Amino acid sequence: MGPTALITGITGQDGSYLAELLLSRGYRVIGLLRRTSTTSIERIGHIQDRLTLVSGDLTDEVSLINLLREFRPAEVYNLAAQSFVQVSWSQPVLTGETTALGVTRLLDAIRIVDPEIRFYQASSSEMFGRVRQVPQDETTPFYPRSPYGVAKVYGHWITVNYRESYGLFATSGILFNHESPRRGLEFVTRKVTHGAARIAAGLQRELRLGNLEARRDWGYAGDYVEAMVAMLARDEPTDYVIATGQTHSVRELCEVAFGTLGLNWEDHVVVDPALLRPAEVDLLVGDASRAARELSWRAQVDFYGLIEMMVAADRAALVG
Ligand code: NAP
Ligand code: G4F
């Protein structure tokens, strides 16, 4: 049996890809599952029998201490968060409890139980917000534009602080948007690929969206979890930007997704002012050259390959 890794957020998009990757490398994988009245394991159902799923919550430090004591992982990947930016305006306190203070609870549990544990924090390009520099790299100052972004800045700095205060092997991956067929339906890429597939199948006629001009650096989640593991394998802990270096607008996303299905997006997309955000992040594009140099990491799937993959999966799920 290889090393033991704990993944918080194992039921999420990234958690499912990371669990698959660690299993393929011989790890024993422990997944933190929060209690819900219905099960939320559809992304990991296919590997469930190879995982150890344990009950806990980022808002409950005792549950974190107890499971570190019981399973003694060598590595902890903190992927759990309230991760949807739009909801962070309607639930700012919950977002802060989980996405910000949850990081401190987990770091503190590590400090108390076993300070040798290697820790990965899921930081975000959303921290760059109203960007101070183009492209953004590890030295770009943060200017968050949402309660979620603010919470992630806290999570990032508390990770750096525990590294510097207590000598923990604590790292922060500043990941730009990454997507997949397992992406939640509320995020714009999946909303568009799923919506376009349903329109092509005659199941709906229109798709309501918000800001079509926002630009993102979209990569493939399966590539990005490789960078997380590589970060914890370094001799020294440090922080990395993970990105493709290419940026595209929501409008281009629509053109490509609908175009793949032979549809004209303008016949179907309706801009709904209710979906505009109180403050927007207009442009994100990352410079991942430190990761290329030090981790030998590069994105393998580009924007066009990613959207084609997602449209194909959504179409296949509808037509069988
Ligand atoms: P996701 O699909 O929304 O998954 C979030 C996970 O967090 C789910 O497993 C969820 O569990 C869990 N969770 C939420 N609140 C929790 C709590 N109080 N205690 C324990 N678990 C809790 O997110 P993702 O796209 O995989 O992203 C993974 C991480 O990377 C997140 O921290 C996100 O903020 C960050 N990130 C994502 C991107 C991206 O583009 N995907 C980019 C940068 C950073 P349930 O299934 O029970 O809801
Ligand atoms: O897909 P989104 O909701 O992703 P957003 O806000 O960039 O956040 C994602 O990426 C972050 C990394 O930068 C992560 F940290 C975070 O956890 C999450 O995974 O929205 C992307 C863009 C925004 O500018 C939004 O205003 O798409 C625009 N958009 C336009 N219409 C829409 C819609 N977004 C959503 N979700 N739904 C729409 O109808």
Side-chain angles (χ1 to χ4, degrees):
M1 178 64 79
T4 299
L6 168 70
I7 304 175
T8 74
I10 195 163
T11 55
Q13 171 189 258
D14 290 8
S16 68
Y17 284 105
L18 179 62
E20 283 173 357
L21 177 64
L22 293 174
L23 286 173
S24 76
R25 296 199 181 165
Y27 279 72
R28 173 191 187 213
V29 178
I30 316 295
L32 180 81
L33 206 60
R34 62 176 170 159
R35 194 266 159 188
T36 47
S37 67
T38 51
T39 50
S40 61
I41 56 163
E42 70 185 53
R43 293 188 180 100
I44 50 171
H46 60 297
I47 49 172
Q48 190 187 351
D49 57 348
R50 299 168 64 200
L51 303 170
T52 304
L53 298 175
V54 292
S55 177
D57 198 298
L58 275 197
T59 58
D60 186 303
E61 187 163 345
V62 171
S63 69
L64 305 175
I65 291 173
N66 285 339
L67 77 91
L68 292 183
R69 282 199 176 126
E70 184 176 354
F71 294 100
R72 301 308 296 246
E75 298 177 6
V76 170
Y77 296 86
N78 183 34
L79 309 186
Q82 190 303 92
S83 76
F84 188 34
V85 171
Q86 184 92 50
V87 156
S88 75
W89 277 283
S90 54
Q91 299 180 15
V93 175
L94 176 119
T95 301
E97 279 292 349
T98 308
T99 307
L101 282 177
V103 188
T104 312
R105 293 191 189 94
L106 191 50
L107 283 165
D108 230 26
I110 288 172
R111 185 179 66 79
I112 290 165
V113 176
D114 179 4
E116 296 302 310
I117 289 172
R118 293 187 170 216
F119 176 78
Y120 173 86
Q121 166 59 14
S123 286
S124 166
S125 52
E126 182 74 12
M127 302 190 300
F128 296 123
R130 180 181 279 176
V131 296
R132 310 281 89 190
Q133 187 182 307
V134 179
Q136 298 85 50
D137 66 17
E138 294 81 1
T139 66
T140 305
F142 301 137
Y143 192 140
R145 295 274 283 167
S146 61
Y148 168 84
V150 173
K152 280 290 178 187
V153 170
Y154 175 92
H156 175 82
W157 282 117
I158 201 71
T159 300
V160 174
N161 181 261
Y162 269 54
R163 178 166 79 215
E164 294 177 353
S165 300
Y166 302 112
L168 298 188
F169 192 109
T171 64
S172 172
I174 306 173
L175 272 53
F176 282 63
N177 298 53
H178 46 279
E179 321 291 314
S180 73
R182 296 182 199 167
R183 187 59 145 152
L185 285 167
E186 67 274 38
F187 298 95
V188 76
T189 51
R190 186 76 199 290
K191 185 172 174 181
V192 169
T193 62
H194 184 254
R198 283 178 57 83
I199 288 168
L203 296 171
Q204 71 187 58
R205 292 175 66 82
E206 68 171 32
L207 180 64
R208 303 183 83 77
L209 295 175
N211 179 9
L212 301 183
E213 308 314 325
R215 301 182 72 85
R216 290 290 183 275
D217 180 331
W218 279 297
Y220 171 51
D223 288 343
Y224 284 43
V225 297
E226 302 255 2
M228 299 176 188
V229 180
M231 284 176 59
L232 290 200
R234 295 281 299 165
D235 290 338
E236 295 297 328
T238 189
D239 309 322
Y240 291 93
V241 158
I242 303 297
T244 69
Q246 304 294 316
T247 188
H248 296 275
S249 65
V250 174
R251 182 183 298 271
E252 288 171 74
L253 162 67
C254 293
E255 275 168 22
V256 174
F258 281 84
T260 303
L261 294 162
L263 297 169
N264 179 2
W265 70 278
E266 287 167 304
D267 295 340
H268 304 283
V269 170
V270 176
V271 173
D272 181 345
L275 295 170
L276 299 175
R277 295 177 176 184
E280 180 60 279
V281 173
D282 295 319
L283 164 72
L284 291 174
V285 57
D287 173 358
S289 42
R290 179 190 281 180
R293 264 193 325 274
E294 298 179 10
L295 305 176
S296 301
W297 182 89
R298 275 177 196 79
Q300 302 297 315
V301 179
D302 71 2
F303 172 73
Y304 301 97
L306 172 69
I307 302 310
E308 264 176 42
M309 178 202 305
M310 292 175 67
V311 169
D314 279 320
R315 183 130 174 86
L318 287 177
V319 297

